[in-house]
């Protein structure tokens, strides 16, 4: 056998081994994924989807007893930021230098809002809005005005069409539902830290609970399946 023929034979042997190993590895990976999905669907979602995608679609409903402190800074317009305020002289919202007070509960909406929002047991905010309206009247229309409020008592705050936001919630309990390829998986959360970044979506915030719906990057290391 000449050296040329021997070299060709060795190359063909190496190629055959490489192909066989690749096929074997592929079947092993498929079997591993299938077995994981059958035995532990939540763990499958966290292990394979969480590491392969930068963001996931989800809906979270979380409750908390301890006070949260969430700061948002909006450089781009927030489509809608509205507050259901409790009535009383202590709640003072300033719109273009004028105080808005109400003896009864009031719903107020800021459209195309730019500025900051701090959520805790009370609400504080400072920025501008293109339109301001309440249940009964429009206070500003098609003209940006300065708006602010400090330590506002509220029953609900709603923020829609958020882009690229982050937050950390401490000691929360509830459920996170993750959506993928037409299916979903529920992840229970019990007195854990919920960390979210690169979030696009909407938030409904109450005094003792929050509903978050959209797409973002979750800290999957926090939400471990029971068998992991």
């Amino acid at each position: 056998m000449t050296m040329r023929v021997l070299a060709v034979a060795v190359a063909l042997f190496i190629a055959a081994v490489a192909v066989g190993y690749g096929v074997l590895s592929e079947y092993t990976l498929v079997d591993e994924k299938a077995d994981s999905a059958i035995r532990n669907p939540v763990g499958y979602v966290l292990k394979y989807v969480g590491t392969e995608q930068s963001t996931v679609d989800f809906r979270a409903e979380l409750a908390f007893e301890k006070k949260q402190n969430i700061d948002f800074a909006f450089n781009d317009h927030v489509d809608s930021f509205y507050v259901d305020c409790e009535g009383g002289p202590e709640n003072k919202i300033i719109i273009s230098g004028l105080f808005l007070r109400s003896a009864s509960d009031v719903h107020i909406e800021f459209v195309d809002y730019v500025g900051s929002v701090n959520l805790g047991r009370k609400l504080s905010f400072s920025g501008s809005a293109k339109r301001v309206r309440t249940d009964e009247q429009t206070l500003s229309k098609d003209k940006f005005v300065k708006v602010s409020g400090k330590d506002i008592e509220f029953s609900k705050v709603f923020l829609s069409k958020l882009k690229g936001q982050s937050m950390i919630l401490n000691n929360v309990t509830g459920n996170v539902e993750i959506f993928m390829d037409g299916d979903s998986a529920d992840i229970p959360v019990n007195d854990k830290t919920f960390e979210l970044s690169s979030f696009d979506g909407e938030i409904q915030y109450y005094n003792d609970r929050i509903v978050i719906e959209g797409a973002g990057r979750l800290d999957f290391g926090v939400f471990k399946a029971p068998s992991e």
Side-chain angles (χ1 to χ4, degrees):
M1 180 181 294
T2 66
M3 291 299 293
R4 180 186 180 89
V5 174
L6 179 61
V8 171
V10 171
L12 290 174
F13 176 75
I14 294 174
V17 171
V19 170
Y21 179 79
V23 171
L24 180 60
S25 299
E26 181 179 355
Y27 279 111
T28 302
L29 180 59
V30 170
D31 290 344
E32 181 184 351
K33 285 188 177 183
D35 180 62
S36 179
I38 292 172
R39 291 185 296 103
N40 186 357
V42 174
Y44 167 74
V45 171
L46 297 180
K47 184 176 181 179
Y48 290 102
V49 177
T51 56
E52 293 172 4
Q53 293 184 196
S54 58
T55 62
V56 293
D57 295 323
F58 74 96
R59 175 183 170 85
E61 297 189 23
L62 306 168
F64 42 84
E65 294 183 359
K66 295 184 178 180
K67 176 185 176 182
Q68 304 295 321
N69 186 31
I70 309 173
D71 287 309
F72 292 113
F74 306 119
N75 296 319
D76 295 324
H77 298 164
V78 176
D79 183 65
S80 179
F81 158 39
Y82 77 68
V83 188
D84 289 337
C85 301
E86 298 181 7
E90 298 301 322
N91 272 352
K92 300 177 182 178
I93 294 177
I94 303 175
I95 302 171
S96 191
L98 301 176
F99 286 104
L100 172 67
R101 299 180 182 178
S102 176
S104 59
D105 294 353
V106 62
H107 171 94
I108 183 167
E109 181 180 13
F110 306 98
V111 180
D112 286 345
Y113 176 80
V114 180
S116 63
V117 173
N118 174 264
L119 293 171
R121 291 300 183 194
K122 296 183 179 182
L123 164 70
S124 294
F125 63 94
S126 179
S128 62
K130 189 174 182 179
R131 181 176 300 182
V132 182
R133 54 194 177 199
T134 66
D135 294 318
E136 300 178 350
Q137 58 185 327
T138 298
L139 305 177
S140 174
K141 182 179 180 181
D142 299 330
K143 180 181 179 180
F144 277 96
V145 295
K146 291 184 178 180
V147 297
S148 63
K150 185 176 181 180
D151 295 334
I152 304 297
E153 299 278 357
F154 68 93
S155 57
K156 179 181 179 180
V157 172
F158 176 83
L159 297 163
S160 74
K161 295 186 179 179
L162 304 183
K163 295 290 185 182
Q165 294 297 315
S166 302
M167 74 177 75
I168 297 177
L169 301 171
N170 297 307
N171 305 110
V172 295
T173 297
N175 183 75
V176 179
E177 185 177 10
I178 298 175
F179 306 98
M180 51 171 288
D181 297 330
D183 295 321
S184 64
D186 289 330
I187 303 175
V189 181
N190 185 21
D191 196 25
K192 296 291 185 180
T193 297
F194 177 90
E195 188 168 352
L196 173 64
S197 61
S198 302
F199 173 68
D200 297 344
E202 67 178 42
I203 292 173
Q204 300 175 57
Y205 186 89
Y206 305 84
N207 287 312
D208 57 357
R209 61 190 178 93
I210 187 171
V211 178
I212 310 169
E213 187 167 7
R217 182 179 299 171
L218 297 171
D219 181 356
F220 286 103
V222 173
F223 306 109
K224 293 294 185 183
S227 62
E228 289 191 324

